[in-house]
Amino acid sequence: MDLNDLNKRISRREFLKYSGAGALVLLANEPLFALLRPTAASDNPLDYYPSRDWEKVYRDLVATDGQFCFLCAPNDTHNCLLKAYTKNGVAMFFGPTYGYGKATDIYGNQSSHRWDPRCCQKGLALIRKVYGPRRVKYPSVRKGFKEWADAGFPRDPDGRMPEKYRNRGKEPFVKVGWDEAFAIVAKILDNVARTYTGEAGMDLLRRQGYDPAMVEATHGTGTQVLKFRGGMPLLGATRIFGMNRFANSIALLDAKIRGVGSDKAVGARVWDSYSWHTDLPPGHTMACGHQTIDFDLATAENANLIVLVGMNWISTKMPDAHWLTEARLKGTQIVTVAAEYQSTSNKADRVIIVRPGSDPAYALGLANVIFKERLYDEEFVKGHTDLPLLVRTDTLKLLKPQEFIANYKPAQLKNTVLLKDGEKPPSAYKQEKQIVAEKLRNEWGDFVAWDRGLNAPVVVTRDDAAQAKNFALEGTFKIKALDGKEVAVRPVFDMVQEHASHFTPEAVGRICHTDPEAVTWLAREIAANKGKTLVAYGMGPNHFFNNDLKDRTGFLVCSLTRNIGFHGGNIGSYAGNYRGAYFNGLPYYIAEDPFHIALGKEDHAQYKPYFRYESAHYFNYGDRPLRVGNKEFTG
Ligand code: SF4
């Protein structure tokens, strides 16, 4: 009530008349003073609340009348199943489904609710993108491109688009209908493939300055200059790899243009993903031959110590962040080693800041302490690593049995299946042993270690893996080579130890701008947690010049401390896309024979790849192949 209004209605004299405690109680019953009525007395304020009507406004605002589930699939490979809440057909909010715990596999094994809630702030805010002003509402085509299409794709004498249509980035996009958009795409695919088919097409490419090897690689098939990139499979296995499937189907176009049958038709080119955008950690392949060694982040709870090197788990593995924080609640120690204080650092027990690019030196510092204090796991080193193998000191190459054993033939392997030239491996689900091409196996040959009991060199084959024999790890030994030369040999362990001896904590402290104590402390912690230390490297460092060194030195530390291949003790470079292999039907989806599509419910897809792979590095490299000397590195 307005104070002036009150003054008008009660005079000063009247107020004094009514003043006094008893009078006020009486007045409270008058309508004018009803506001001053005391609230009901209560010992517990939670028992009684005077009025909640005002809440209705807010409840109405957030009330919804429908919901549906959808897959959140941005560029982060997490693919959370989210729930949208709608009102009058408009999505109001997004949230987690809390349904992961209900999932079962085909055998009926049930998941755990510990996977919930699977979501992140980006997913919650996705609604702003869906209804945001910059959302894509309709198909549109660059103005000049549309004019070129409308003009029937005229070309310069060398085959290129005339310059007047080449105003990419300088002109607007124009709205078109879906039918027109599809028609333009279909026509340009047809036009490009026709233009570059045959000798005349190859000639145009030469005139445009393409490297002769690239032109030759088309074999006069115009569809080979059409490039498709499916992106990362886990962002939507069928949605994104639909591009690869489409590239395979382009063989239909080639069959029509060149008038060939399905036996001669060629599809388009498919660009790579994993290695091109550097999800691939190069040192993993160098150290162990696999594309990537990795563990699911859910295994955090099996570790006693988690070391994150250049990986910001909280910010980049959002829906899996809870595994890390829950592990910490249970006592797992978290350490971040990075060039910055990152958002995971405030969840860590120790934060080690190193100078950018110096992480390989830091890892060698860890190895230095582990060697010096003899903290390594001798049994694991001898049985599971190549550290006992002998190296010739004259050539710095691995010693081979045929270099000192007359007429040595590679051993017959019991645990490896060899494939003859041209022989195909069995389906993945039928593979019980390692499969190696015979040619490659013969190229690798066998290996040699020094047996301390025999005091002599002994042959080591792939069948000896996982058997810790009485191998020497240190020392220099002499062998008599078949050419009569006496050759000094040393175990890899011995040589690596010498290399690491230069990386003392003090030297590493200077290189990395970090406290030497941070090297010694972590080395001892990792060694104290054998089989229980997870070392997760980030993908960001894969972009840099030292990308293979940070992996190889990381593998060295994990090899020494038995932290490879265990649920709680492993090394990884999590990108998530390796999980694409879980979708074991993908090859059939991508490379289903477009000439014989399975249309019936009972029909089986026929696998027939018509496309060819190509690395997008071509285009990163000025649209030319990478050639060093006479060696072509681009396929
Ligand atoms: S992590 Fe976030 S953005 Fe990524 S899929 Fe899940 S909810 Fe969507």
Side-chain angles (χ1 to χ4, degrees):
M1 178 181 289
D2 188 282
L3 197 59
N4 291 332
D5 198 30
L6 191 67
N7 283 341
K8 275 185 216 146
R9 295 170 71 179
I10 308 174
S11 69
R12 182 181 165 81
R13 188 178 299 274
E14 284 169 325
F15 179 78
L16 290 173
K17 180 178 139 196
Y18 291 129
S19 64
L24 267 175
V25 171
L26 289 172
L27 277 171
N29 291 321
E30 297 293 319
L32 183 61
F33 293 94
L35 278 174
L36 301 177
R37 190 182 297 134
T39 55
S42 170
D43 289 339
N44 181 358
L46 299 177
D47 268 355
Y48 175 78
Y49 199 86
S51 168
R52 299 182 66 148
D53 289 353
W54 59 271
E55 289 182 5
K56 189 167 181 313
V57 177
Y58 297 100
R59 291 189 186 283
D60 285 349
L61 276 176
V62 297
T64 54
D65 56 24
Q67 50 183 247
F68 63 87
C69 289
F70 70 100
L71 188 75
C72 184
N75 185 24
D76 71 7
T77 68
H78 298 304
N79 273 35
C80 303
L81 268 179
L82 300 186
K83 193 176 266 187
Y85 298 87
T86 60
K87 185 179 197 170
N88 300 327
V90 175
M92 303 282 290
F93 311 103
F94 293 154
T97 51
Y98 291 102
Y100 278 85
K102 297 180 202 154
T104 55
D105 66 13
I106 55 171
Y107 307 108
N109 299 313
Q110 181 136 10
S111 175
S112 147
H113 279 290
R114 292 199 52 214
W115 289 89
D116 285 308
R118 195 166 168 80
C119 188
C120 81
Q121 295 90 329
K122 273 197 295 170
L124 294 175
L126 186 63
I127 192 123
R128 297 193 196 169
K129 286 233 155 106
V130 173
Y131 293 123
R134 282 184 287 164
R135 71 189 189 272
V136 178
K137 292 184 229 163
Y138 42 76
S140 53
V141 186
R142 181 169 62 78
K143 185 169 155 284
F145 191 91
K146 183 170 179 329
E147 286 164 5
W148 186 51
D150 291 344
F153 306 111
R155 291 176 180 274
D156 285 345
D158 65 359
R160 288 202 287 182
M161 173 194 267
E163 193 163 358
K164 67 173 177 174
Y165 300 116
R166 281 188 255 143
N167 291 311
R168 199 183 272 178
K170 298 182 199 150
E171 59 186 15
F173 277 70
V174 292
K175 181 178 177 181
V176 293
W178 282 108
D179 287 348
E180 188 177 1
F182 286 134
I184 290 175
V185 172
K187 282 181 192 163
I188 187 61
L189 291 175
D190 179 80
N191 180 273
V192 169
R194 268 180 212 284
T195 303
Y196 297 106
T197 288
E199 190 47 49
M202 291 169 80
D203 192 45
L204 289 177
L205 291 172
R206 284 186 206 104
R207 290 172 68 184
Q208 288 171 30
Y210 282 98
D211 189 281
M214 291 173 79
V215 179
E216 212 45 56
T218 69
H219 299 292
T221 310
T223 50
Q224 282 284 284
V225 305
L226 298 171
K227 325 276 174 163
F228 295 84
R229 180 165 179 256
M232 302 192 285
L234 264 202
L235 301 184
T238 52
R239 177 175 62 96
I240 286 191
F241 269 12
M243 279 300 241
N244 297 19
R245 181 180 168 94
F246 188 57
N248 203 47
S249 308
I250 287 289
L252 297 168
L253 180 61
D254 182 45
K256 189 163 169 44
I257 292 174
R258 292 196 297 141
V260 296
S262 59
D263 56 331
K264 297 230 166 49
V266 180
R269 290 265 176 160
V270 167
W271 274 349
D272 57 347
S273 283
Y274 195 71
S275 62
W276 181 58
H277 52 53
T278 67
D279 280 7
L280 175 78
H284 279 232
T285 319
M286 291 179 184
C288 63
H290 288 281
Q291 186 186 47
T292 309
I293 293 234
D294 221 334
F295 48 83
D296 199 289
L297 299 178
T299 200
E301 61 188 10
N302 295 311
N304 289 344
L305 172 65
I306 298 178
V307 183
L308 306 174
V309 188
M311 181 221 196
N312 194 351
W313 188 319
I314 294 292
S315 283
T316 61
K317 315 295 167 209
M318 302 79 75
D320 289 318
H322 68 96
W323 297 114
L324 186 78
T325 49
E326 286 161 17
R328 188 168 180 240
L329 280 177
K330 290 201 236 160
T332 302
Q333 198 170 191
I334 317 286
V335 181
T336 60
V337 180
E340 80 285 356
Y341 183 89
Q342 51 178 235
S343 48
T344 309
S345 297
N346 67 17
K347 306 279 181 291
D349 299 282
R350 297 283 177 123
V351 177
I352 298 170
I353 310 278
V354 295
R355 199 158 63 100
S358 67
D359 32 0
Y362 182 77
L364 281 175
L366 300 177
N368 173 289
V369 176
I370 292 164
F371 279 125
K372 201 166 52 194
E373 300 186 5
R374 297 195 170 272
L375 302 175
Y376 47 84
D377 186 313
E378 206 168 313
E379 198 183 335
F380 186 80
V381 165
K382 289 179 179 175
H384 292 81
T385 76
D386 61 0
L387 291 166
L389 301 185
L390 293 176
V391 177
R392 292 177 65 131
T393 55
D394 56 346
T395 61
L396 295 182
K397 295 225 155 66
L398 286 172
L399 175 68
K400 293 288 171 185
Q402 59 270 27
E403 290 166 2
F404 67 99
I405 301 172
N407 303 318
Y408 182 82
K409 293 268 172 311
Q412 292 286 324
L413 299 178
K414 295 191 201 80
N415 300 325
T416 308
V417 176
L418 301 183
L419 294 181
K420 300 266 178 228
D421 242 6
E423 192 183 348
K424 291 221 160 71
S427 306
Y429 66 94
K430 288 186 186 156
Q431 296 174 8
E432 289 174 351
K433 294 179 179 175
Q434 281 200 330
I435 298 173
V436 180
E438 192 173 40
K439 199 167 150 215
L440 202 56
R441 186 265 175 274
N442 290 337
E443 195 182 313
W444 288 338
D446 295 324
F447 310 93
V448 186
W450 193 268
D451 188 297
R452 291 200 305 183
L454 300 172
N455 198 25
V458 287
V459 172
V460 180
T461 75
R462 295 173 71 82
D463 281 348
D464 295 315
Q467 296 174 41
K469 297 191 178 169
N470 191 17
F471 297 143
L473 294 179
E474 292 167 285
T476 302
F477 309 95
K478 296 271 167 52
I479 60 117
K480 189 97 176 163
L482 287 178
D483 60 9
K485 270 205 301 194
E486 192 172 72
V487 179
V489 291
R490 291 170 69 188
V492 175
F493 183 98
D494 199 52
M495 301 182 86
V496 173
Q497 181 171 233
E498 183 187 330
H499 180 61
S501 70
H502 301 287
F503 291 82
T504 60
E506 292 70 30
V508 168
R510 285 193 297 276
I511 296 169
C512 301
H513 293 188
T514 195
D515 188 341
E517 179 54 28
V519 181
T520 310
W521 173 81
L522 187 58
R524 289 175 184 161
E525 283 299 313
I526 294 175
N529 288 288
K530 297 189 173 73
K532 285 285 175 189
T533 303
L534 282 181
V535 181
Y537 274 82
M539 289 173 292
N542 293 343
H543 294 246
F544 298 104
F545 66 95
N546 65 344
N547 55 13
D548 66 301
L549 294 177
K550 52 97 183 155
D551 295 326
R552 290 158 66 191
T553 50
F555 265 92
L556 174 63
V557 171
C558 291
S559 300
L560 292 171
T561 56
R562 198 168 160 265
N563 279 312
I564 298 182
F566 300 94
H567 277 305
N570 213 345
I571 182 167
S573 172
Y574 184 85
N577 273 305
Y578 71 93
R579 286 175 174 172
Y582 291 175
F583 293 91
N584 57 5
L586 267 185
Y588 279 84
Y589 171 69
I590 294 167
E592 180 176 6
D593 187 346
F595 294 91
H596 304 96
I597 295 283
L599 297 173
K601 213 172 169 186
E602 303 300 322
D603 295 349
H604 288 286
Q606 293 185 41
Y607 179 75
K608 185 92 171 63
Y610 288 95
F611 65 86
R612 290 187 187 147
Y613 280 112
E614 176 176 306
S615 178
H617 290 92
Y618 252 142
F619 287 80
N620 267 18
Y621 189 60
D623 220 354
R624 61 205 160 104
L626 174 60
R627 185 178 289 126
V628 180
N630 61 0
K631 176 108 181 124
E632 299 272 3
F633 284 91
T634 320

